[in-house]
Amino acid sequence: MSAIAAVLLLTSASLNAADRAALDAATIALYEPYRTETADVAVWERDIWSREVRQLIAKWQTVIPEDEPDALNDGDWLCQCQDWDAKAFRMTITKRKKLSKDRAEVAVDIVLFKDDDPRDAFLTFRREGGRWKLDEMFTEEYSDGIKAAIRQTIAEDQALRKARP
């Protein structure tokens, strides 16, 4: 690869200062509730998701079993946890990458308790209405992404409903 092509590739993948600052602010806001002892609103009810994810969540909400938790509603998606220590909680942005004009990826390390090893999360944001919204998330628990996990849970919940008398 020529030096000029390499520079052009790096330039196209870098974020401008305004986008970088907006993405950092959006990422920090995602994890702000974990700095308190309880998150008052379930993560799927927060106004952080892209249009596509909100549509998937709305579909999922129509099929959730009433009498038991399913694969998505017994833990918090963003922290990949049920509990955390607000005093020890830490989120560190480790990498940012522009994917296209209105899409970017932010990698974070999350620490829930003192002396814990960090948990990795790779967050894909989409710019919608001038705001960066969370459009995808890859973690150890959601290795195929949160969208795939929601789709799979919808299918499982629908199958469960059909199997019940």
Side-chain angles (χ1 to χ4, degrees), residues 87-99:
K87 292 181 178 93
F89 182 85
R90 189 171 78 245
M91 182 280 299
T92 306
I93 297 171
T94 59
K95 186 177 178 184
R96 299 158 196 88
K97 181 167 100 176
K98 181 178 181 177
L99 301 175

PDB file of all heavy atoms in Angstrom, residues 87-99:
ATOM      1  N   LYS A  87     -19.475   2.831  43.927  1.00  0.00           N
ATOM      2  CA  LYS A  87     -18.231   3.518  44.309  1.00  0.00           C
ATOM      3  C   LYS A  87     -17.032   2.997  43.525  1.00  0.00           C
ATOM      4  O   LYS A  87     -16.096   3.729  43.263  1.00  0.00           O
ATOM      5  CB  LYS A  87     -18.004   3.370  45.808  1.00  0.00           C
ATOM      6  CG  LYS A  87     -19.023   4.133  46.642  1.00  0.00           C
ATOM      7  CD  LYS A  87     -18.734   3.970  48.120  1.00  0.00           C
ATOM      8  CE  LYS A  87     -19.720   4.770  48.934  1.00  0.00           C
ATOM      9  NZ  LYS A  87     -20.881   4.008  49.336  1.00  0.00           N
ATOM     10  N   ALA A  88     -17.071   1.735  43.148  1.00  0.00           N
ATOM     11  CA  ALA A  88     -15.955   1.139  42.414  1.00  0.00           C
ATOM     12  C   ALA A  88     -16.173   1.159  40.905  1.00  0.00           C
ATOM     13  O   ALA A  88     -15.227   0.973  40.143  1.00  0.00           O
ATOM     14  CB  ALA A  88     -15.748  -0.311  42.868  1.00  0.00           C
ATOM     15  N   PHE A  89     -17.408   1.400  40.470  1.00  0.00           N
ATOM     16  CA  PHE A  89     -17.719   1.341  39.048  1.00  0.00           C
ATOM     17  C   PHE A  89     -16.834   2.294  38.254  1.00  0.00           C
ATOM     18  O   PHE A  89     -16.628   3.446  38.630  1.00  0.00           O
ATOM     19  CB  PHE A  89     -19.186   1.684  38.772  1.00  0.00           C
ATOM     20  CG  PHE A  89     -19.527   1.579  37.318  1.00  0.00           C
ATOM     21  CD1 PHE A  89     -19.883   0.363  36.770  1.00  0.00           C
ATOM     22  CD2 PHE A  89     -19.429   2.679  36.480  1.00  0.00           C
ATOM     23  CE1 PHE A  89     -20.156   0.244  35.411  1.00  0.00           C
ATOM     24  CE2 PHE A  89     -19.701   2.571  35.124  1.00  0.00           C
ATOM     25  CZ  PHE A  89     -20.063   1.348  34.596  1.00  0.00           C
ATOM     26  N   ARG A  90     -16.342   1.771  37.134  1.00  0.00           N
ATOM     27  CA  ARG A  90     -15.480   2.572  36.266  1.00  0.00           C
ATOM     28  C   ARG A  90     -15.705   2.146  34.825  1.00  0.00           C
ATOM     29  O   ARG A  90     -15.793   0.968  34.520  1.00  0.00           O
ATOM     30  CB  ARG A  90     -14.029   2.327  36.695  1.00  0.00           C
ATOM     31  CG  ARG A  90     -13.012   3.212  36.083  1.00  0.00           C
ATOM     32  CD  ARG A  90     -11.641   3.018  36.751  1.00  0.00           C
ATOM     33  NE  ARG A  90     -10.985   1.802  36.271  1.00  0.00           N
ATOM     34  CZ  ARG A  90     -10.706   0.733  37.004  1.00  0.00           C
ATOM     35  NH1 ARG A  90     -11.004   0.699  38.276  1.00  0.00           N
ATOM     36  NH2 ARG A  90     -10.104  -0.319  36.469  1.00  0.00           N
ATOM     37  N   MET A  91     -15.809   3.124  33.965  1.00  0.00           N
ATOM     38  CA  MET A  91     -15.902   2.877  32.528  1.00  0.00           C
ATOM     39  C   MET A  91     -14.803   3.699  31.870  1.00  0.00           C
ATOM     40  O   MET A  91     -14.673   4.892  32.129  1.00  0.00           O
ATOM     41  CB  MET A  91     -17.274   3.303  31.990  1.00  0.00           C
ATOM     42  CG  MET A  91     -17.497   3.033  30.503  1.00  0.00           C
ATOM     43  SD  MET A  91     -16.774   4.230  29.357  1.00  0.00           S
ATOM     44  CE  MET A  91     -17.605   5.729  29.804  1.00  0.00           C
ATOM     45  N   THR A  92     -14.019   3.045  31.034  1.00  0.00           N
ATOM     46  CA  THR A  92     -12.924   3.712  30.347  1.00  0.00           C
ATOM     47  C   THR A  92     -13.080   3.497  28.850  1.00  0.00           C
ATOM     48  O   THR A  92     -13.220   2.353  28.398  1.00  0.00           O
ATOM     49  CB  THR A  92     -11.568   3.141  30.804  1.00  0.00           C
ATOM     50  OG1 THR A  92     -11.484   3.225  32.222  1.00  0.00           O
ATOM     51  CG2 THR A  92     -10.413   3.897  30.166  1.00  0.00           C
ATOM     52  N   ILE A  93     -13.069   4.583  28.106  1.00  0.00           N
ATOM     53  CA  ILE A  93     -13.075   4.486  26.651  1.00  0.00           C
ATOM     54  C   ILE A  93     -11.668   4.119  26.211  1.00  0.00           C
ATOM     55  O   ILE A  93     -10.706   4.798  26.556  1.00  0.00           O
ATOM     56  CB  ILE A  93     -13.531   5.812  26.010  1.00  0.00           C
ATOM     57  CG1 ILE A  93     -14.978   6.124  26.410  1.00  0.00           C
ATOM     58  CG2 ILE A  93     -13.369   5.763  24.488  1.00  0.00           C
ATOM     59  CD1 ILE A  93     -15.459   7.504  26.003  1.00  0.00           C
ATOM     60  N   THR A  94     -11.552   3.019  25.475  1.00  0.00           N
ATOM     61  CA  THR A  94     -10.227   2.544  25.068  1.00  0.00           C
ATOM     62  C   THR A  94      -9.925   2.795  23.595  1.00  0.00           C
ATOM     63  O   THR A  94      -8.758   2.795  23.202  1.00  0.00           O
ATOM     64  CB  THR A  94     -10.070   1.037  25.366  1.00  0.00           C
ATOM     65  OG1 THR A  94     -11.078   0.312  24.660  1.00  0.00           O
ATOM     66  CG2 THR A  94     -10.178   0.766  26.867  1.00  0.00           C
ATOM     67  N   LYS A  95     -10.988   2.973  22.796  1.00  0.00           N
ATOM     68  CA  LYS A  95     -10.757   3.172  21.357  1.00  0.00           C
ATOM     69  C   LYS A  95     -12.005   3.774  20.731  1.00  0.00           C
ATOM     70  O   LYS A  95     -13.119   3.486  21.142  1.00  0.00           O
ATOM     71  CB  LYS A  95     -10.445   1.821  20.702  1.00  0.00           C
ATOM     72  CG  LYS A  95     -10.051   1.891  19.247  1.00  0.00           C
ATOM     73  CD  LYS A  95      -9.690   0.513  18.727  1.00  0.00           C
ATOM     74  CE  LYS A  95      -9.336   0.577  17.256  1.00  0.00           C
ATOM     75  NZ  LYS A  95      -9.067  -0.750  16.701  1.00  0.00           N
ATOM     76  N   ARG A  96     -11.791   4.591  19.715  1.00  0.00           N
ATOM     77  CA  ARG A  96     -12.885   5.158  18.922  1.00  0.00           C
ATOM     78  C   ARG A  96     -12.542   4.948  17.455  1.00  0.00           C
ATOM     79  O   ARG A  96     -11.374   5.082  17.080  1.00  0.00           O
ATOM     80  CB  ARG A  96     -13.029   6.649  19.180  1.00  0.00           C
ATOM     81  CG  ARG A  96     -13.340   7.014  20.594  1.00  0.00           C
ATOM     82  CD  ARG A  96     -12.928   8.476  20.822  1.00  0.00           C
ATOM     83  NE  ARG A  96     -12.848   8.787  22.227  1.00  0.00           N
ATOM     84  CZ  ARG A  96     -11.769   8.618  22.965  1.00  0.00           C
ATOM     85  NH1 ARG A  96     -10.666   8.120  22.452  1.00  0.00           N
ATOM     86  NH2 ARG A  96     -11.776   8.948  24.234  1.00  0.00           N
ATOM     87  N   LYS A  97     -13.569   4.661  16.654  1.00  0.00           N
ATOM     88  CA  LYS A  97     -13.305   4.443  15.232  1.00  0.00           C
ATOM     89  C   LYS A  97     -14.512   4.895  14.422  1.00  0.00           C
ATOM     90  O   LYS A  97     -15.641   4.505  14.704  1.00  0.00           O
ATOM     91  CB  LYS A  97     -13.037   2.953  14.991  1.00  0.00           C
ATOM     92  CG  LYS A  97     -12.734   2.596  13.553  1.00  0.00           C
ATOM     93  CD  LYS A  97     -12.185   1.184  13.466  1.00  0.00           C
ATOM     94  CE  LYS A  97     -13.237   0.220  13.039  1.00  0.00           C
ATOM     95  NZ  LYS A  97     -12.734  -1.153  12.854  1.00  0.00           N
ATOM     96  N   LYS A  98     -14.255   5.694  13.416  1.00  0.00           N
ATOM     97  CA  LYS A  98     -15.301   6.113  12.491  1.00  0.00           C
ATOM     98  C   LYS A  98     -15.559   4.967  11.525  1.00  0.00           C
ATOM     99  O   LYS A  98     -14.636   4.427  10.925  1.00  0.00           O
ATOM    100  CB  LYS A  98     -14.851   7.359  11.732  1.00  0.00           C
ATOM    101  CG  LYS A  98     -15.864   7.891  10.759  1.00  0.00           C
ATOM    102  CD  LYS A  98     -15.342   9.161  10.092  1.00  0.00           C
ATOM    103  CE  LYS A  98     -16.335   9.728   9.127  1.00  0.00           C
ATOM    104  NZ  LYS A  98     -15.855  10.991   8.550  1.00  0.00           N
ATOM    105  N   LEU A  99     -16.827   4.583  11.379  1.00  0.00           N
ATOM    106  CA  LEU A  99     -17.188   3.520  10.436  1.00  0.00           C
ATOM    107  C   LEU A  99     -17.735   4.092   9.141  1.00  0.00           C
ATOM    108  O   LEU A  99     -17.542   3.523   8.078  1.00  0.00           O
ATOM    109  CB  LEU A  99     -18.214   2.580  11.075  1.00  0.00           C
ATOM    110  CG  LEU A  99     -17.762   1.896  12.365  1.00  0.00           C
ATOM    111  CD1 LEU A  99     -18.898   1.088  12.966  1.00  0.00           C
ATOM    112  CD2 LEU A  99     -16.536   1.025  12.111  1.00  0.00           C
TER     113      LEU A  99
END
